């Protein structure tokens, strides 16, 4: 899996680990959708830089589906973090 891709959409947030007291910037990134099998399946590269790193490409039935599912995947991933970790906008306001 190629760790390097050009993001077509990204969002910068701050992850706070309440157990250690550490805060750090994370960057959600989704790359250009591409066909894995023309007319059958497309995928988008995704990453959470500063925390998970590069993740498996998110697949859908076409490029729009892959992009939509990639966005939903990243939101669900952040919502499922342990209670000891919270996500904030760079301004400090809670993300959720």
């Amino acid at each position: 899996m190629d760790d390097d891709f050009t993001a077509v959409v990204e969002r910068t947030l701050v992850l706070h680990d309440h157990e250690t007291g550490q805060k750090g910037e994370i960057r959600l990134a989704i790359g250009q959708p591409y066909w894995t099998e023309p007319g059958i399946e497309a995928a988008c590269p995704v990453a959470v830089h500063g925390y998970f790193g590069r993740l498996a490409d998110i697949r859908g039935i076409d490029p729009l589906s892959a992009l939509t599912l990639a966005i939903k995947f990243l939101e669900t991933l952040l919502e499922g973090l342990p209670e000891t970790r919270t996500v904030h906008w760079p301004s400090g306001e809670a993300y959720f």
Side-chain angles (χ1 to χ4, degrees):
M1 179 168 29
D2 183 12
D3 286 349
D4 189 29
F5 64 88
T6 301
V8 293
V9 293
E10 56 186 16
R11 173 173 284 166
T12 300
L13 300 168
V14 176
L15 179 66
H16 183 186
D17 184 330
H18 297 279
E19 289 181 333
T20 65
Q22 292 183 314
K23 291 182 182 180
E25 184 177 283
I26 60 172
R27 185 172 51 88
L28 311 178
I30 300 174
Q32 177 74 34
Y34 64 92
W35 285 106
T36 59
E37 295 182 56
I40 296 173
E41 180 187 70
C44 284
V46 295
V48 181
H49 300 289
Y51 191 49
F52 293 109
R54 179 76 155 79
L55 300 164
D57 290 1
I58 303 300
R59 299 170 183 278
I61 61 169
D62 59 23
L64 181 59
S65 171
L67 182 59
T68 300
L69 291 171
I71 292 167
K72 289 179 182 178
F73 170 78
L74 289 175
E75 289 292 321
T76 301
L77 185 71
L78 294 180
E79 287 173 354
L81 290 176
E83 290 183 12
T84 58
R85 295 191 175 116
T86 56
V87 180
H88 300 270
W89 292 101
S91 66
E93 182 179 345
Y95 184 65
F96 294 107

